[in-house]
Amino acid sequence: LFDGAPQLPSAVFMNDEGGPEVGADALHNGRRKPERYEPNPKRRIDDGTILLGGTELPVTSVIAAVLSRVARECEQTLGGLGPVTVTVPAAWGPTRRHVIADAATAAGLGKAALVPEPVAAASHFVETLGADVPVGSGVVVYDLGGGTFDATVLRRAAGGFDVLAVDGADDLGGLDF
């Protein structure tokens, strides 16, 4: 749990000491000082830097702050972290993926494996929920996340799922409704 909730808002706030706060504290403090607040760092992935108050931070650092918070909660709950996998939108190219990989490294997670979100969802559907999706069959994953919308067509292969087609909107998600 993050501050008693099952989800962690990815919001980031630059506190008076010059450090980032993430989650519920960021949401609350962002209402008082919105110039120090970024509610959706994922939507800023192409910007290079984000201005929080008078401090300009690399996007990588802002995303790393979110990943660090998740890692701290996992370590407190589980006692440690094994290999880390981070999911990313299937339509993201190498530049955006590189930002996430660098953020994971900066967060102390080491070399995280990056997996497209719909591949992770389809794999969970089969491996954890026990759905029967024979090799060669297709699956459509509809992903309306907080900040983005994607629809992806996948094919089940012997070793997992292959992305066949993906489309969506990087600037449309549940936050917009």
Side-chain angles (χ1 to χ4, degrees), residues 53-113:
T55 306
E56 190 172 37
L57 296 170
V59 171
T60 302
S61 296
V62 177
I63 293 171
V66 176
L67 294 175
S68 291
R69 175 70 193 279
V70 172
R72 279 193 310 275
E73 295 295 333
C74 289
E75 288 170 348
Q76 287 177 352
T77 303
L78 304 173
L81 290 176
V84 174
T85 299
V86 178
T87 61
V88 295
W92 278 14
T95 301
R96 288 176 171 174
R97 289 173 181 257
H98 188 69
V99 170
I100 298 298
D102 287 350
T105 300
L109 302 178
K111 185 171 173 51

Side-chain angles (χ1 to χ4, degrees), residues 17-177:
E17 291 77 37
E21 294 177 357
V22 175
D25 289 341
L27 289 172
H28 298 302
N29 290 324
R31 290 185 187 112
R32 292 184 302 106
K33 297 181 180 178
E35 70 279 2
R36 294 181 177 199
Y37 175 66
E38 174 51 52
N40 305 300
K42 182 177 174 182
R43 284 190 171 178
R44 305 285 304 276
I45 194 144
D46 295 325
D47 291 353
T49 61
I50 298 174
L51 185 63
L52 296 177
T55 306
E56 190 172 37
L57 296 170
V59 171
T60 302
S61 296
V62 177
I63 293 171
V66 176
L67 294 175
S68 291
R69 175 70 193 279
V70 172
R72 279 193 310 275
E73 295 295 333
C74 289
E75 288 170 348
Q76 287 177 352
T77 303
L78 304 173
L81 290 176
V84 174
T85 299
V86 178
T87 61
V88 295
W92 278 14
T95 301
R96 288 176 171 174
R97 289 173 181 257
H98 188 69
V99 170
I100 298 298
D102 287 350
T105 300
L109 302 178
K111 185 171 173 51
L114 301 181
V115 174
E117 292 165 349
V119 170
S123 297
H124 177 75
F125 184 65
V126 169
E127 295 165 13
T128 305
L129 301 179
D132 182 27
V133 180
V135 171
S137 296
V139 174
V140 175
V141 175
Y142 171 99
D143 180 4
L144 179 61
T148 61
F149 163 74
D150 298 294
T152 306
V153 177
L154 305 126
R155 179 182 306 137
R156 176 83 188 265
F161 285 90
D162 297 322
V163 175
L164 300 180
V166 61
D167 201 2
D170 285 341
D171 59 352
L172 176 68
L175 297 171
D176 299 303
F177 294 100

